[in-house]
Amino acid sequence: TLDRNEASVFRPVRSNAEIRQAASTMRRELLEALKRSQTAKGGIPASLNPATKAGFEYWSNGQALTGIFLTPELSEADAHQLLKGFEEHFESGSTIEGADGKKYGWVAHPKEKRTQAEPAIWTGAALAAALGRPGLLTGEDRERALTRLAYAQEVLKTYRPDDANGWNMFPNQEDAHLHNVYTTALALLALLETRKANLPWEGSVEKRDQLLHATAQWLADQYDDKASPPGWRTASETGTNTIDGLTLQIYGELLRAEAETGFELPHRILNQMPDYLANCAERKFNFPADSGEFSAFFTDHRGQQYVAREALGFLWYPWAIHAAQLWLLRAERVGAPKEDQVRVRRALGHLVNELGNQAVSKYKSEWTFQAAETLYGLSVIPPQ
């Protein structure tokens, strides 16, 4: 009742203006940290802390460029300077193809020398974000970027056994139907950014929209509304629990798919979002992040067969911001109960206004993916 009437004193709710101002400040600081770390070759290293000597990775560089080119505070001069970040992805010897000409994309980690889907997905998402900025890429520069985007999309055929289900983390998996929820969520992100930029997929907007709908539907079908907490689990060797950060990420992406494409979001997912998001108001910044280890028997680009393994940490903070903002936009559009809107806006204000300084302080000097994902999550909050 208190929230329905916006009468709470002890649980204050930030205004949209306050949230937008804080979000803009956070974006500027994270953008500056990424820009400052740009190397002479143009890329963003895997860590923003020079002492770690982490080197360059296509995966995190693609994440960084995606967040950068979606940032409304990015100046034209900085945007042109940061476009150089794509060069390492397409210089001679950077991409991998099999003896039969099949495109495998980019190595996931330099020491392992094997490819997987994530670097290609983020490369495609970053190119779409750059191409979607009005006036940034014109003439020959735009044509080159479009050619590179088409190449990344060609690579991703290797990680998509068919056009109707999920996507695979590794190429040529022995079990082609062992789809990965995380990889599929990233594929949906790239498809959404491609559509937002009004660009085709494999030369066709119809193919793009068909893949987008099928990918969103497959993800929706994997949701477990009976779990505690509800959400998504994935092919992980570390347990069968739902994964918090992954659940928040997919919440936001499905909300976008609904708003931008008319995808029908199942009520069994929609009905659980407000409580899940509102509960984020109780979290401290050190709330634990889930992790997972993934493996599959596959054949690499050299024809060698072995088990590929990948360990991931799933940040919850950026995706809670992302999902909460997108849910609030939906709530305004459909007239969700006032008390639910107030509860989720309280959570969003807590995440941005109360925890924002801690997030920026930590992420601007640690692993690049942390700053990149946070910048991406903040990108859906309008500027002041």
Side-chain angles (χ1 to χ4, degrees):
T1 301
L2 287 170
D3 283 341
R4 186 178 302 135
N5 293 279
E6 296 188 85
S8 179
V9 174
F10 295 108
R11 297 177 303 143
V13 180
R14 296 282 186 170
S15 68
N16 284 331
E18 289 177 305
I19 293 171
R20 291 178 181 184
Q21 181 177 3
S24 181
T25 299
M26 290 177 67
R27 286 193 297 256
R28 290 179 188 278
E29 290 194 48
L30 291 171
L31 177 62
E32 182 61 31
L34 291 169
K35 186 180 70 173
R36 191 168 54 241
S37 72
Q38 188 179 25
T39 67
K41 292 185 70 174
I44 310 295
S47 174
L48 302 182
N49 184 348
T52 63
K53 299 180 180 179
F56 176 86
E57 289 193 2
Y58 301 107
W59 187 337
S60 60
N61 187 59
Q63 287 179 298
L65 294 175
T66 303
I68 284 168
F69 289 113
L70 292 175
T71 300
E73 290 80 9
L74 178 66
S75 70
E76 184 176 350
D78 285 343
H80 281 285
Q81 174 64 27
L82 287 158
L83 281 172
K84 296 178 182 178
F86 289 110
E87 297 309 310
E88 289 189 69
H89 288 243
F90 294 94
E91 65 184 3
S92 178
S94 61
T95 56
I96 291 176
E97 298 184 8
D100 58 355
K102 186 175 183 179
K103 296 177 175 61
Y104 285 79
W106 295 267
V107 296
H109 308 290
K111 293 182 180 179
E112 294 185 5
K113 303 299 182 184
R114 61 164 177 80
T115 67
Q116 62 187 65
E118 286 73 18
I121 293 174
W122 282 112
T123 300
L127 284 163
L131 284 159
R133 289 188 73 91
L136 175 60
L137 286 162
T138 58
E140 292 183 3
D141 290 339
R142 185 170 185 84
E143 290 304 313
R144 182 167 56 252
L146 288 169
T147 299
R148 290 172 168 180
L149 178 61
Y151 187 92
Q153 292 172 356
E154 180 73 17
V155 166
L156 289 171
K157 286 183 180 180
T158 302
Y159 302 91
R160 191 178 73 245
D162 58 61
D163 292 349
N165 293 292
W167 299 57
N168 292 350
M169 180 175 281
F170 308 109
N172 308 324
Q173 292 181 185
E174 182 180 53
D175 183 356
H177 300 292
L178 185 62
H179 308 312
N180 190 283
V181 174
Y182 171 70
T183 305
T184 306
L186 290 187
L188 180 57
L189 182 153
L191 286 159
L192 286 164
E193 295 306 333
T194 303
R195 188 181 188 279
K196 179 182 175 183
N198 197 27
L199 297 167
W201 193 280
E202 295 174 13
S204 167
V205 295
E206 291 79 14
K207 180 65 174 286
R208 177 200 68 199
D209 293 344
Q210 179 262 320
L211 279 175
L212 197 160
H213 184 275
T215 301
Q217 187 61 58
W218 187 86
L219 284 170
D221 291 343
Q222 310 311 307
Y223 185 76
D224 188 349
D225 58 326
K226 302 296 192 296
S228 181
W232 281 269
R233 54 177 59 86
T234 188
S236 172
E237 296 184 348
T238 53
T240 58
N241 294 331
T242 57
I243 298 178
D244 177 53
L246 182 63
T247 295
L248 288 164
Q249 178 177 348
I250 300 175
Y251 274 166
E253 291 183 19
L254 292 182
L255 285 165
R256 275 191 67 183
E258 181 196 50
E260 297 173 17
T261 75
F263 173 74
E264 189 172 342
L265 235 173
H267 288 290
R268 67 190 186 91
I269 300 178
L270 276 172
N271 293 342
Q272 294 183 330
M273 283 187 185
D275 283 344
Y276 201 111
L277 295 171
N279 287 338
C280 292
E282 307 300 322
R283 297 186 180 188
K284 296 181 179 180
F285 186 66
N286 61 0
F287 186 88
D290 291 333
S291 61
E293 294 184 11
F294 312 95
S295 66
F297 190 78
F298 82 118
T299 304
D300 70 10
H301 58 282
R302 300 164 296 184
Q304 297 182 8
Q305 296 180 326
Y306 53 98
V307 175
R309 299 185 184 278
E310 180 63 57
L312 290 172
F314 296 91
L315 296 181
W316 64 268
Y317 177 77
W319 304 108
I321 292 172
H322 188 252
Q325 172 64 22
L326 291 170
W327 186 90
L328 287 168
L329 292 175
R330 182 188 192 277
E332 293 177 15
R333 190 171 66 249
V334 305
K338 185 69 173 180
E339 57 268 30
D340 285 345
Q341 294 191 49
V342 169
R343 291 167 65 221
V344 175
R345 186 150 52 87
R346 178 183 292 115
L348 181 60
H350 171 70
L351 295 168
V352 174
N353 296 74
E354 269 75 60
L355 302 186
N357 286 339
Q358 294 178 64
V360 169
S361 178
K362 179 178 176 65
Y363 292 161
K364 69 182 183 181
S365 59
E366 293 192 355
W367 297 106
T368 295
F369 83 91
Q370 297 170 302
E373 290 189 16
T374 305
L375 202 53
Y376 187 91
L378 290 164
S379 70
V380 295
I381 299 179
Q384 301 176 62

